[in-house]
Amino acid sequence: MKIAVIGGGGREHAIIKKLKLNPTVERIYALPGNGGMTGDAECVQIKAMELDKIVTFCREKAVDFVVIAPDDPLIAGLKDMLNAVGIPSFGPDKAAAEIEGSKAFAKELMKKYRIPTAAYEVFTDEAAALAYVDGLTPPVVVKADGPALGKGVIIAESIPAAREAVHSMMSESRFGDSGKRVVIEEFLTGPEVSVLAFTDSHTLVPMVSSMDHKRAGDGDTGLNTGGMGVVAPNPYYTKAVADRAMREIFIPTLNAMNAEGRPFKGCLYFGLMITADGPKVIEYNSRFGDPETQAVLPLLKSDLLQIMLAVEEERLSEVSVEFMDKSSCALVLASKGYPEKYETGYEITENGVQGEIFYAGVKRVDGKIVTSGGRVLAVTEVRDDLANAIAAAYADADRIDFKTKYFRHDIGQRALAAKK
Ligand code: AMP
Ligand code: GLY
């Protein structure tokens, strides 16, 4: 089979490395891929949002199956375009991807079908939003409606700060058009867990749970980032919590999307908070998480391509989806200064790394891999227990070098403490 994987980050690298293990795979194209994955895929200079070019390329090369990894092309309807020319793909269509594309849609879906989430209101009028904010007790959570790369959320510690957040989104286009509509919601507390699930709209199979670390600095300080490291499984996600999430959240979400005429096929990502009242949805994503994928897929025992094909062909119940009974740690190495200003163009060297490296913000210059982005790579180690996986990932981090190397020193520590 010839496969095309859309996207070019660490998540895509992790997906490609798993797809490669299937013996029927002859070729994997990465569009656009990155300079760190040239040993695993043929990188093609077509970007994830060049939808027409992607379709043309896949037709010309007679690609058999497309894996659409990032949110933007899913939300823009790449799946629908591929369907129109008869090329099967993994990922939801445009109607189903709205569960990530519009927070207002997602919130209204949860309200209608009584899926546990933070209480909220949606506003398109700034005066009304400000009046509502004035009646709340901080902290106040203000979210831009559309996709803003995980950065469109402001947790305001005071009413003036909440007013400022609303104003910056609605009048100053802080997140572009994404902020024309805002969602203001109740502040929830509790440990967060990411659960990725395969679903073909009939069957839903959760993958091993994980814990991302979104803040840039040690001790969960500093700015929100795309994610600085992940451990899996997440110790807060006990069997009891998992059963409750399945019953109260996962299955109801699947049914709700079907009832709305938007059957979801692909990877549905549940960002949950485990509150005193049980698990509640913080966000849905219509795709694999990044960097969750870099910690979760290395634990997958089953064949990823077979699962993805079964999802698309709506026969997920027929294939086996099994995970190792082990732990993993994916540690992100970033460019110092990320998520704000950082320098790029520095050569990356490695010596004796034992785990798997998933490249993200890199390119190839004269045969060398050099940094080109904020999150440069993730290194993942799998061990029988979490403490050893964390220690091994940190040992690997010391064996990788580039001038601006930066990483958090406490990835997984909260999870370790929770286990005790
Ligand atoms: P989101 O993009 O919706 O996942 O939000 C990003 C981060 O903001 C989440 O991972 C949470 O840490 C935090 N967050 C979002 N909504 C809430 C909420 N209602 N209460 C507390 N924290 C929240
Ligand atoms: N790691 C969070 C996300 O992929 O949205």
Side-chain angles (χ1 to χ4, degrees):
M1 284 186 79
K2 287 189 217 159
I3 306 201
V5 175
I6 311 305
R11 164 184 57 200
E12 287 76 8
H13 198 184
I15 290 171
I16 287 167
K17 283 196 180 207
K18 274 287 172 191
L19 291 175
K20 256 181 67 176
L21 300 177
N22 179 298
T24 68
V25 172
E26 310 153 46
R27 262 195 145 125
I28 303 182
Y29 299 105
L31 283 61
N34 69 51
M37 50 172 91
T38 50
D40 298 305
E42 291 174 42
C43 297
V44 180
Q45 285 319 306
I46 296 177
K47 297 201 188 90
M49 280 304 277
E50 295 182 313
L51 308 183
D52 290 317
K53 285 192 188 172
I54 292 171
V55 174
T56 305
F57 175 86
C58 292
R59 291 183 81 170
E60 276 172 5
K61 300 288 182 188
V63 166
D64 299 294
F65 192 62
V66 182
V67 176
I68 311 169
D71 43 351
D72 289 345
L74 290 166
I75 292 166
L78 177 57
K79 163 70 154 236
D80 309 65
M81 293 169 66
L82 290 165
N83 276 347
V85 297
I87 302 176
S89 59
F90 179 85
D93 64 13
K94 186 175 182 171
E98 196 164 356
I99 199 165
E100 170 166 13
S102 165
K103 289 194 195 285
F105 169 80
K107 292 300 285 193
E108 266 143 42
L109 186 85
M110 288 185 268
K111 188 185 267 182
K112 186 168 170 189
Y113 295 92
R114 299 175 195 282
I115 295 164
T117 187
Y120 74 100
E121 293 291 335
V122 180
F123 296 93
T124 47
D125 177 66
E126 184 176 339
L130 292 174
Y132 178 75
V133 161
D134 285 338
L136 299 175
T137 313
V140 174
V141 182
V142 184
K143 300 186 175 183
D145 178 51
L149 295 171
K151 291 166 198 141
V153 176
I154 294 176
I155 300 189
E157 302 292 344
S158 69
I159 297 304
R163 291 180 62 99
E164 171 53 29
V166 168
H167 181 69
S168 71
M169 285 186 199
M170 300 189 85
S171 291
E172 291 164 1
S173 302
R174 171 148 172 204
F175 300 107
D177 283 348
S178 283
K180 286 202 169 136
R181 213 156 44 144
V182 301
V183 175
I184 298 177
E185 65 178 41
E186 171 197 8
F187 179 74
L188 299 177
T189 51
E192 286 185 55
V193 47
S194 305
V195 181
L196 315 180
F198 292 109
T199 175
D200 64 357
S201 82
H202 309 285
T203 305
L204 180 140
V205 183
M207 297 179 223
V208 60
S209 64
S210 60
M211 184 193 281
D212 193 4
H213 297 68
K214 289 197 171 143
R215 301 292 202 93
D218 289 356
D220 292 327
T221 56
L223 292 172
N224 258 316
T225 69
M228 295 300 296
V230 175
V231 291
N234 183 325
Y236 290 103
Y237 195 69
T238 58
K239 172 88 169 61
V241 174
D243 288 346
R244 196 164 167 186
M246 190 68 163
R247 204 168 57 237
E248 296 179 5
I249 297 173
F250 303 164
I251 298 302
T253 300
L254 194 67
N255 292 339
M257 292 298 278
N258 287 334
E260 293 295 307
R262 299 167 187 260
F264 189 104
K265 297 203 289 181
C267 174
L268 186 50
Y269 168 129
F270 299 88
L272 306 178
M273 197 169 266
I274 306 170
T275 73
D277 301 329
K280 295 190 179 182
V281 177
I282 291 284
E283 65 164 346
Y284 291 115
N285 290 319
S286 58
R287 49 165 176 87
F288 283 92
D290 189 338
E292 283 90 339
T293 306
Q294 294 91 305
V296 169
L297 283 189
L299 293 172
L300 179 68
K301 275 199 282 189
S302 310
D303 185 295
L304 180 62
L305 180 60
Q306 279 184 26
I307 297 169
M308 287 182 158
L309 290 169
V311 163
E312 177 55 12
E313 292 160 12
E314 298 180 32
R315 45 176 188 79
L316 179 58
S317 65
E318 294 169 18
V319 298
S320 112
V321 182
E322 281 187 70
F323 286 85
M324 298 171 197
D325 188 18
K326 294 185 178 208
S327 293
S328 67
C329 174
L331 177 62
V332 170
L333 305 192
S335 299
K336 190 167 180 281
Y338 170 77
E340 293 186 291
K341 271 199 168 148
Y342 51 82
E343 293 173 18
T344 59
Y346 296 108
E347 185 182 355
I348 303 163
T349 55
E350 61 116 332
N351 191 353
V353 170
Q354 322 237 301
E356 272 192 295
I357 297 180
F358 302 115
Y359 285 102
V362 305
K363 61 182 181 185
R364 201 167 275 265
V365 178
D366 301 330
K368 290 175 184 153
I369 301 178
V370 304
T371 63
S372 69
R375 288 188 298 171
V376 172
L377 60 86
V379 59
T380 299
E381 288 275 9
V382 173
R383 290 289 186 281
D384 284 337
D385 75 278
L386 182 59
N388 287 336
I390 295 168
Y394 275 95
D396 283 341
D398 286 335
R399 300 181 184 116
I400 300 171
D401 218 14
F402 50 95
K403 190 177 167 208
T404 53
K405 181 173 77 168
Y406 169 80
F407 55 88
R408 270 181 65 164
H409 296 88
D410 60 345
I411 299 301
Q413 290 308 317
R414 228 178 122 205
L416 273 185
K419 280 188 109 152
K420 283 180 193 147

